[in-house]
Amino acid sequence: MDILCIEACGTVQNLMDKRSRFAPSVTSLLAVCPVDWLLAPVQPGHAVPRWRMIRMLKREPKEPLILPVRDARVLFALKPKDYLGFAQTQTAQPHEFFCPMDR
């Protein structure tokens, strides 16, 4: 499984905390999808549960879905002033992307 994470960072300290969570490691990464999450609707007001959108599940799950993560990318959204200062002084890791956000 490949994943894309989007993290909105309100402060530079918050960015640094979130970056450390996604730092590469020598251990395997597993994505755990709890049953309650799988059974919840795809979007508010829709009746289709998430598990139906995952084409590999043929029937309603009774236990969490656990999948190995092959590749992860993270988009960090920063306030414009933080983005400018950070982008001028830091180098992104290969899995990281940065962008400014309005709020």
Side-chain angles (χ1 to χ4, degrees):
M1 170 200 304
D2 296 337
I3 59 172
L4 169 65
C5 305
I6 301 172
E7 292 281 357
C9 304
T11 65
V12 173
Q13 179 61 45
N14 184 242
L15 166 65
M16 298 312 226
D17 291 343
K18 290 180 178 184
R19 281 184 88 190
S20 68
R21 277 189 232 148
F22 293 101
S25 69
V26 295
T27 61
S28 298
L29 180 62
L30 297 174
V32 178
C33 305
V35 174
D36 291 344
W37 184 84
L38 291 165
L39 297 178
V42 171
Q43 295 180 351
H46 286 71
V48 178
R50 288 185 178 110
W51 73 268
R52 287 202 182 270
M53 299 303 289
I54 301 171
R55 306 272 184 212
M56 62 188 274
L57 297 177
K58 301 300 180 202
R59 56 186 167 278
E60 186 175 302
K62 304 289 185 219
E63 56 189 45
L65 176 63
I66 302 172
L67 300 168
V69 176
R70 176 180 59 179
D71 191 36
R73 300 284 185 246
V74 186
L75 173 63
F76 294 101
L78 302 159
K79 292 180 179 178
K81 68 176 183 61
D82 293 335
Y83 173 77
L84 287 175
F86 188 82
Q88 290 173 351
T89 62
Q90 301 292 314
T91 301
Q93 296 291 322
H95 67 283
E96 295 178 322
F97 300 89
F98 299 92
C99 70
M101 67 176 172
D102 290 336
R103 298 176 200 246

